Amino acid sequence: AEAIPALKNYFKAYVSSDQIRHMTDGEVLSRRDNGELNTRHSPTMYNVGYLSNFYWDGRAPTLEAQVLAAWRFQIGADPAKSTERIVAVPAYVAEFQKVFGTPPTQDAIVKALAAYLRAKVSGLSPWDRHEMGQTNAVSADARAGYDLFMGKARCVACHTPPLYMDGNFHNIGLEAGKAKPDPGRGNVTKKPEDASAFKTPTLRSVAISGPYFHDGSRATLEQAVRYMAGGGGADPNKSAVLVDTKLTDREVQQLVAFLTSLTSDEPYTAPKIP
């Protein structure tokens, strides 16, 4: 935890306070520092400290590996030169010396940023307060939506509480019919059964982390719910857990109400950059 302040200011230099709150960029496809679009949507960084692999295809084994890769390729920086710039700021040198016992180094910078990201936790939502006994924390629709989530809608098959994800990869049919389907997890494992499979995202704070799915193809939470509840796309390799649950319009709205109740509100105060 002591490593967090060392890179919090550096991280703030790249994103707005609103993006800090949502921990995503809100774009369909994320954009690199040079302006080029990536081929996938940026998922929320909330609760990444609980993950065992990173990126939609799980190719990075640690958060530190993901941070270093993003530093080099997404941001397009030279870590050695960036480190020199950070070393030139006395306040950073003092913070790193206090935490790591050394001036800023590439390794320490990566560790500090990863530590900061692990501290971005989406928790204590209205639904959590409801489960703790606060009777007026959520609406009747949200409570009905939870029953659907755990039952008829079958969401719990992949989005397991309390993190509302399973750490696995599933093909939900989004690549069906595309001229160049994204291979997803299959590009990492080289297994046919992993073709176009992508990591199950957390549903914590999902109402404020759209657009949705690895391709950002659904603009609203309701659209995403309707797609999943309808059984996904017509891909022969689609996960067997996806079926048309035949939700009514009312049930879709109740499910959205429950998912919205998973939104937490973490306070954020912008630091003074040295």
Side-chain angles (χ1 to χ4, degrees):
E2 291 182 354
I4 294 170
L7 243 287
K8 188 172 184 179
N9 292 345
Y10 186 62
F11 184 83
K12 178 65 178 67
Y14 288 95
V15 293
S16 72
S17 59
D18 189 60
Q19 289 166 339
I20 287 280
R21 184 169 68 87
H22 297 107
M23 294 307 292
T24 184
D25 61 9
E27 302 293 333
V28 174
L29 298 177
S30 61
R31 191 175 296 275
R32 297 183 182 182
D33 187 66
N34 63 6
E36 295 179 358
L37 287 176
N38 289 306
T39 58
R40 295 172 184 165
H41 168 70
S42 290
T44 179
M45 296 294 284
Y46 272 141
N47 298 334
V48 292
Y50 298 108
L51 303 181
S52 58
N53 50 52
F54 301 85
Y55 293 110
W56 281 105
D57 56 15
R59 66 185 182 275
T62 66
L63 183 55
E64 285 76 8
Q66 188 276 329
V67 166
L68 182 57
W71 194 6
R72 287 174 171 168
F73 305 112
Q74 180 69 18
I75 297 175
D78 180 339
K81 292 182 179 179
S82 298
T83 300
E84 290 177 1
R85 293 181 64 187
I86 296 172
V87 169
V89 181
Y92 284 139
V93 173
E95 288 187 9
F96 275 88
Q97 191 68 45
K98 178 181 178 182
V99 174
F100 296 103
T102 67
T105 64
Q106 177 179 309
D107 181 63
I109 291 168
V110 167
K111 288 179 179 177
L113 185 50
Y116 169 70
L117 293 173
R118 288 190 177 99
K120 302 309 295 182
V121 176
S122 175
L124 199 57
S125 65
W127 186 257
D128 294 306
R129 294 197 297 272
H130 166 74
E131 290 190 321
M132 294 167 66
Q134 184 176 329
T135 56
N136 63 345
V138 300
S139 66
D141 276 351
R143 294 192 295 272
Y146 174 77
D147 292 339
L148 289 165
F149 185 94
M150 301 297 289
K152 179 181 178 181
R154 297 167 51 92
C155 309
V156 72
C158 299
H159 297 280
T160 310
L163 295 177
Y164 295 90
M165 60 184 180
D166 62 1
N168 293 325
F169 302 83
H170 302 277
N171 181 333
I172 62 173
L174 282 169
E175 295 301 308
K178 292 185 179 180
K180 293 183 178 180
D182 187 328
R185 183 65 173 167
N187 196 47
V188 178
T189 66
K190 308 305 179 183
K191 296 179 179 179
E193 59 267 30
D194 289 333
S196 297
F198 296 89
K199 181 185 294 183
T200 303
T202 180
L203 296 182
R204 288 279 179 179
S205 290
V206 66
I208 59 173
S209 62
Y212 301 96
F213 305 129
H214 70 273
D215 59 357
S217 59
R218 299 302 185 274
T220 69
L221 182 55
E222 180 179 336
Q223 289 172 352
V225 167
R226 287 187 183 278
Y227 178 82
M228 295 299 288
D235 190 319
N237 294 318
K238 185 177 66 176
S239 173
V241 300
L242 272 176
V243 298
D244 184 355
T245 56
K246 302 186 184 305
L247 297 187
T248 66
D249 288 344
R250 175 64 171 159
E251 288 172 332
V252 167
Q253 296 301 324
Q254 290 173 328
L255 192 51
V256 169
F258 164 64
L259 294 175
T260 300
S261 77
L262 292 174
T263 303
S264 56
D265 185 18
E266 285 69 45
Y268 175 78
T269 301
K272 293 181 180 180
I273 298 176

